[in-house]
Amino acid sequence: MHRPSSPTPETFWRSAKVFNTFRAVIAVTLLIVTGLFHRQLFPDVPHTALLTGLSAVYIGFTLLYWVCLRTRWPRFQLLLTVQVASDIVYIVLLMQFAGGLRTGVGLLLLPYLAAAGLISRGRTTLFHAALASIALLLQQAWNAVNGVGVVDFVQAALLSIACFATAWLAFRLASYATESEALAEKRGQALANLAQVNRLVLQDVSDGVLVLDEFGVVRQFNQRAEMLLGTGLVAGKTHLDDYNPDLARAMAGWLAGDLPTIIEFDEGRQSVRPRFMPVRVGVAANGTVVFLEDVHRLRREAQQLKLAALGRLTANIAHEIRNPLSAITHAAQLLAEDAQDAASSRLTRIIMDNAKRLDRMVQEVLDLNRRDRAEPVDLRLHLWLREFAAEFRKTEDLAADVEVECPMGAVARFDAAQLHQVLWNLCRNGWRFGSKQAGSLRLVVARRNDAWVLDVHDDGPGVRPEDIAKLFEPFFTTDAKGTGLGLYIAREICAGNDSVLEYIPKPDGACFRITFPVRPA
């Protein structure tokens, strides 16, 4: 079965064009020389018309080869062999017309054979040398048979040997060049793969990364570094001293032996803790890798671990409390049945009320684990919120409707039961602190950037500024009868559904906003 030949590399064609340019230069030079300096160079040649005509014909072949090289026809190896054969014929005829081997024109065969061998990567080098040797011997045999010129087979043989030696040298050099090219390509691919892996690792790490050279110029960085330090980083151009003097001073202190400290940037920036790692090749320092740890993120992670441990502890405690609490509630009910006076009834009622409060607190603590069991679905808020508002008004026996403003196309991905729980808590708080009039409680859905947001508005006094920072902390409450877990649980449930619950201060009341996750386009 015939296997199709592989396409000729582009470098072969480019080299052949350079070779053809060399051929044209030689032809034009010989044409000028034979026309102007033939008496000095070729004193035994009375007429140079043959030399001039031969060079002109050779120039015509050179132009033809330009057309062939541009059209890539015929195939490369055949075209190169035709070119070399025409070069050999031209030089041998030129040598014959100029006076034979003693003119030295035959030495021009050597650079042609060397160039052809390098271009063809040694594939047909010895064949070209054989063609040159045959042409030289035929030229001497022609002179011997016809009795013209000087016959010197020894010199022709030596020149033929030189042709083979040049061809062999070109063959070896071409082999080395091919091997070196393959090795360079292989190593280049390995370096490209390694560079890609480095970029992927650099972009995937949670810390910011800066790679500096020995002069403090940023050579590489990741997106996290831009988020922490700000925009304006340009690889190869940004100097750390000009871009961030605080970080540059920290690096200078590290070089002097000081321990890195937390760097507080201006307002709107992050606080980072830098770590410096030297890059060394041998004994010479070649740069520094700077790792930037987001202090706020580390604190948030520590807080999450603390809250997770607290949640597990309180859940265990709540589970253990529920059994004796049930016994207390049952005993209080029995005492209430046997109470004979108002004082006994009042005491048992106090026991029952506080037992119910403890039971509600225990249930809310146990509900903290519900965020891990979220089953988000696509909710069409326009219909879902109206049904919720009607149910809330009927169940809570409100004196006015809950106003709903929602575009028809609003869709949120959230667990339906958990969103019902969150909104019920927010609406109950809003109605309790509001004026309880028409328009006192409103649910407003709007578009913010690429996400939908749901605002729960009320016309109450709002949250005091000093309490906003503690609003979502567990067990924080301003109500003597509250547990302080409602808003904390609501925020945890939103986080479990990839949403964000936050408080938005308003001059005419309070607003709690739920930002739903962005839906893919």
Side-chain angles (χ1 to χ4, degrees):
M1 182 177 179
H2 177 69
R3 298 178 60 183
S5 59
S6 58
T8 303
E10 182 64 28
T11 54
F12 281 40
W13 292 102
R14 287 201 298 267
S15 300
K17 291 180 180 178
V18 174
F19 186 27
N20 200 52
T21 302
F22 168 76
R23 183 181 293 112
V25 170
I26 293 296
V28 172
T29 302
L30 289 176
L31 182 64
I32 295 174
V33 167
T34 54
L36 299 178
F37 307 103
H38 65 278
R39 294 186 182 278
Q40 293 82 357
L41 297 177
F42 310 113
D44 298 332
V45 180
H47 303 288
T48 58
L50 288 176
L51 298 178
T52 304
L54 186 62
S55 297
V57 171
Y58 188 55
I59 293 174
F61 274 98
T62 302
L63 297 177
L64 178 62
Y65 294 151
W66 273 116
V67 176
C68 294
L69 290 172
R70 289 184 61 87
T71 58
R72 306 292 175 87
W73 181 89
R75 60 188 180 87
F76 178 80
Q77 204 63 48
L78 177 59
L79 178 60
L80 181 63
T81 300
V82 171
Q83 287 178 317
V84 174
S86 65
D87 296 335
I88 293 173
V89 171
Y90 168 68
I91 294 173
V92 171
L93 290 178
L94 185 66
M95 179 181 63
Q96 175 68 20
F97 298 150
L101 283 170
R102 60 187 180 83
T103 61
V105 175
L107 295 176
L108 285 175
L109 289 170
L110 302 181
Y112 276 92
L113 293 175
L118 293 174
I119 292 173
S120 65
R121 298 297 193 268
R123 295 177 182 177
T124 55
T125 306
L126 297 179
F127 174 70
H128 297 157
L131 289 179
S133 299
I134 292 172
L136 288 172
L137 294 175
L138 286 177
Q139 184 260 345
Q140 291 301 306
W142 171 267
N143 288 344
V145 171
N146 294 276
V148 294
V150 178
V151 179
D152 191 349
F153 282 100
V154 176
Q155 191 173 357
L158 292 175
L159 185 56
S160 298
I161 293 173
C163 290
F164 275 100
T166 303
W168 177 255
L169 179 61
F171 172 73
R172 296 305 302 166
L173 291 176
S175 299
Y176 292 145
T178 302
E179 293 173 2
S180 300
E181 183 180 2
L183 180 60
E185 183 178 359
K186 183 178 179 180
R187 291 184 176 177
Q189 291 177 353
L191 289 175
N193 292 335
L194 182 60
Q196 185 176 7
V197 171
N198 289 339
R199 286 194 298 269
L200 292 175
V201 172
L202 194 67
Q203 294 298 335
D204 192 58
V205 295
S206 58
D207 294 335
V209 179
L210 293 177
V211 181
L212 309 176
D213 61 13
E214 62 270 27
F215 303 107
V217 178
V218 177
R219 292 300 176 184
Q220 280 185 292
F221 60 92
N222 61 358
Q223 294 180 351
R224 187 63 181 165
E226 277 194 309
M227 294 175 60
L228 294 172
L229 301 178
T231 59
L233 285 170
V234 179
K237 295 183 179 180
T238 302
H239 199 286
L240 188 62
D241 290 337
D242 301 328
Y243 176 74
N244 196 303
D246 295 332
L247 187 58
R249 282 193 294 270
M251 181 174 171
W254 166 74
L255 292 173
D258 299 335
L259 294 176
T261 58
I262 295 176
I263 301 176
E264 298 284 348
F265 294 117
D266 297 335
E267 184 179 356
R269 297 282 188 87
Q270 301 284 346
S271 297
V272 300
R273 180 168 57 199
R275 291 187 296 113
F276 303 96
M277 298 292 293
V279 178
R280 294 184 180 276
V281 178
V283 297
N286 289 271
T288 307
V289 179
V290 184
F291 296 93
L292 304 172
E293 295 179 328
D294 185 356
V295 176
H296 293 304
R297 180 179 62 82
L298 296 176
R299 290 171 180 169
R300 287 195 301 269
E301 291 177 354
Q303 181 70 10
Q304 289 296 325
L305 292 175
K306 185 186 300 183
L307 291 177
L310 178 62
R312 289 192 295 270
L313 176 63
T314 53
N316 292 332
I317 294 175
H319 183 72
E320 296 298 328
I321 289 175
R322 178 159 266 183
N323 290 331
L325 185 61
S326 298
I328 293 172
T329 302
H330 183 65
Q333 290 174 348
L334 295 177
L335 288 175
E337 293 177 357
D338 296 336
Q340 300 294 328
D341 54 5
S344 298
S345 299
R346 183 174 62 84
L347 292 176
T348 55
R349 188 168 62 253
I350 291 174
I351 294 174
M352 292 291 294
D353 290 343
N354 283 278
K356 289 181 180 178
R357 180 186 176 192
L358 286 175
D359 185 69
R360 188 173 73 253
M361 184 180 298
V362 168
Q363 184 61 45
E364 289 180 347
V365 169
L366 294 176
D367 286 342
L368 287 174
N369 293 326
R370 291 191 62 189
R371 64 169 289 179
D372 299 327
R373 302 194 299 270
E375 298 179 359
V377 296
D378 288 338
L379 301 176
R380 298 188 178 278
L381 296 179
H382 179 73
L383 298 176
W384 193 89
L385 288 178
R386 294 188 183 280
E387 294 175 358
F388 170 83
E391 179 187 358
F392 181 78
R393 182 189 179 189
K394 181 179 180 180
T395 304
E396 296 291 333
D397 194 21
L398 306 186
D401 290 334
V402 178
E403 296 184 2
V404 177
E405 301 176 17
C406 180
M408 293 291 294
V411 177
R413 188 160 186 81
F414 211 102
D415 186 292
Q418 293 186 359
L419 182 59
H420 189 280
Q421 176 184 348
V422 172
L423 280 186
W424 201 281
N425 182 285
L426 297 177
C427 290
R428 181 182 289 170
N429 289 340
W431 181 260
R432 182 174 55 172
F433 292 108
S435 63
K436 300 180 176 60
Q437 303 296 325
S440 173
L441 184 62
R442 295 185 299 120
L443 304 178
V444 180
V445 177
R447 192 79 173 177
R448 289 287 185 276
N449 297 326
D450 295 330
W452 290 102
V453 298
L454 169 58
D455 291 342
V456 181
H457 292 272
D458 67 73
D459 59 356
V463 181
R464 293 180 301 180
E466 60 270 21
D467 292 337
I468 292 178
K470 301 176 290 183
L471 190 59
F472 293 101
E473 293 182 1
F475 306 109
F476 171 76
T477 180
T478 58
D479 187 357
K481 296 183 178 181
T483 63
L485 290 173
L487 288 177
Y488 174 71
I489 293 175
R491 188 184 64 173
E492 291 298 299
I493 289 176
C494 288
N497 286 270
D498 295 326
S499 302
V500 178
L501 174 62
E502 55 186 336
Y503 175 74
I504 308 297
K506 298 286 184 180
D508 55 349
C511 173
F512 286 89
R513 172 173 295 170
I514 301 175
T515 303
F516 297 105
V518 177
R519 289 172 53 81

